[in-house]
Amino acid sequence: MPASVGTCSAALILILVGGAIFPVPGHAANSYGLSQSSAVKSSLTWLVSNEKSDGSFGSSQISTPPAAYALWLNDSRSPKASASFSWLASQLDDSSSYAWGEADIPGQILYTLSTSGNVRLLSNSSDSSGLLAYQQTNGGFLGWYDSSSGQQTTSSIDTGMALWGLLGMHAISSSKQQQAVSYLLSLQNRDGSFNLTRTEASNHYETLGPESVSTTALVVLVLKSASLTASDTRVSNALDFLNAAASTNFTASRDNKGHVYAAALSALAFNAFGRAVQATAAVAFILLQQNSDGGFRDIGRLSSGSNALDTGWAAIALEQVQPGPLLSSFLTPVLLVGLIVAVGGLAVVGVLVIYQVMRRRAANHVVASATI
């Protein structure tokens, strides 16, 4: 009997451990902290290997900011990050560069320079005032090209990125800040999402906000920087919209595709407002989208293969959103399956023990009968 009990106990332990560590189908094992760290390492390796000698990524003022910031978050003394930030600063200092074609580009650059403490790289003190010049009388910032009117117009992406950068630089007055916030809030829909402009819900040609989920997540992040809190119904409604998007794998209504860029910004937005469970779920989705080369590509991009913009923002989200608690929503099914397996295993062990006891009793009864 003791040997049987020992064998059964060992089996039970194996069942309990196995049920707790093996994920259910549809929930990748790399949802765990260890492989999140591995995913970060792979994405940073991709960024390092794709950085040009001048510090840029594809000579793009749009893709380089998040790539540089991701490298800096991993190592604030990274020579690769320093080279990228130096290149970005040179682009802002040159008033004729492509960076000054619309407000969102210099806004994103100023945000990453300021949040990483690299403003000192700017040699032109008028960079901030140059961005402020894009603000219009309606409070929004100019940049998006409206094909129907044939001219540039204000948009949530241009206004959001510009305000984000100016807030980081402490270069905007409270009155102009409020005007920009009011403009952003005027673009909010009843479901909590934000439109691109007052006449256009979204447009996939807007690189920094190609669909409503990423647009909404960006605005939420900017509103956080503008000191709005989760108790504000407009913020909570936007977060609820993002939560609904997360439940459908960040699918945009217009294309029914899951977007990793939207997931990255949403993870940061959830994290900024303390919604840890939703942030962890967003990270889980991001991990499932990583390409074999370590990079990322949003499914809505016109180009093929990994790119610095999506890889940069995905890496930032993976670096800043810590692995959630063991009982977070997306891990619960894993533990539930483990519990079910454990209970089932315990039942099997119980049946085996009872069987062994009954068998021995029957054998003893036969031996006793034979001696009478």
Side-chain angles (χ1 to χ4, degrees):
M1 185 72 176
S4 298
V5 172
T7 302
C8 292
S9 298
L12 178 57
I13 291 173
L14 288 174
I15 290 171
L16 286 169
V17 173
I21 64 174
F22 290 113
V24 295
H27 292 268
N30 62 3
S31 299
Y32 295 86
L34 179 61
S35 40
Q36 181 171 334
S37 175
S38 176
V40 170
K41 183 178 180 180
S42 297
S43 62
L44 294 176
T45 298
W46 186 93
L47 289 172
V48 168
S49 64
N50 283 274
E51 183 178 12
K52 295 181 65 176
S53 58
D54 63 0
S56 72
F57 288 82
S59 300
S60 171
Q61 294 92 342
I62 297 176
S63 299
T64 302
Y69 186 39
L71 292 170
W72 180 86
L73 282 173
N74 179 65
D75 179 6
S76 60
R77 294 175 295 181
S78 165
K80 290 287 187 179
S82 296
S84 292
F85 283 130
S86 294
W87 183 81
L88 288 170
S90 70
Q91 296 301 297
L92 276 191
D93 287 335
D94 181 3
S95 59
S96 64
S97 76
Y98 178 77
W100 289 105
E102 49 196 82
D104 56 350
I105 299 176
Q108 185 182 219
I109 294 175
L110 283 180
Y111 168 73
T112 54
L113 286 174
S114 61
T115 199
S116 64
N118 282 291
V119 175
R120 56 183 171 72
L121 296 174
L122 294 171
S123 60
N124 192 339
S125 59
S126 64
D127 288 338
S128 295
S129 57
L131 180 54
L132 273 170
Y134 283 82
Q135 189 170 27
Q136 305 298 295
T137 55
N138 63 1
F141 282 72
L142 201 65
W144 175 249
Y145 180 78
D146 182 5
S147 58
S148 61
S149 64
Q151 58 186 7
Q152 286 184 305
T153 187
T154 56
S155 76
S156 56
I157 300 300
D158 289 291
T159 303
M161 280 297 187
L163 182 57
W164 217 10
L166 291 168
L167 286 170
M169 297 285 290
H170 304 289
I172 186 170
S173 67
S174 57
S175 60
K176 287 186 176 297
Q177 173 185 325
Q178 186 53 52
Q179 290 171 12
V181 169
S182 296
Y183 170 79
L184 288 173
L185 293 174
S186 73
L187 298 177
Q188 189 170 30
N189 299 306
R190 290 184 178 181
D191 64 358
S193 66
F194 286 84
N195 288 334
L196 175 61
T197 70
R198 288 180 175 173
T199 60
E200 197 169 6
S202 64
N203 192 303
H204 68 278
Y205 286 112
E206 173 48 84
T207 307
L208 296 177
E211 27 64 34
S212 60
V213 183
S214 58
T215 298
T216 301
L218 173 61
V219 172
V220 167
L221 285 167
V222 175
L223 293 178
K224 174 67 176 180
S225 294
S227 300
L228 273 72
T229 65
S231 61
D232 190 305
T233 55
R234 296 163 298 188
V235 173
S236 61
N237 287 342
L239 289 169
D240 289 343
F241 171 81
L242 294 178
N243 185 43
S247 68
T248 58
N249 292 325
F250 299 96
T251 299
S253 58
R254 64 172 178 77
D255 59 14
N256 295 316
K257 298 176 181 178
H259 294 270
V260 69
Y261 174 69
L265 293 183
S266 295
L268 293 170
F270 287 136
N271 191 59
F273 283 97
R275 293 200 177 189
V277 172
Q278 291 93 333
T280 303
V283 164
F285 176 81
I286 294 170
L287 291 171
L288 293 173
Q289 309 307 309
Q290 190 166 32
N291 296 326
S292 58
D293 61 4
F296 290 85
R297 171 189 173 271
D298 189 278
I299 198 168
R301 302 300 183 195
L302 298 178
S303 60
S304 60
S306 300
N307 62 75
L309 176 65
D310 296 325
T311 302
W313 279 112
I316 291 168
L318 294 176
E319 289 175 293
Q320 292 197 324
V321 179
Q322 298 302 311
L326 191 60
L327 292 178
S328 63
S329 64
F330 80 96
L331 287 179
T332 300
V334 178
L335 299 181
L336 180 60
V337 169
L339 181 61
I340 292 173
V341 172
V343 172
L346 185 60
V348 171
V349 171
V351 171
L352 289 174
V353 171
I354 295 172
Y355 171 74
Q356 291 289 340
V357 172
M358 296 293 291
R359 183 179 180 184
R360 291 195 174 202
R361 285 183 177 179
N364 290 336
H365 179 71
V366 170
V367 171
S369 299
T371 58
I372 295 176

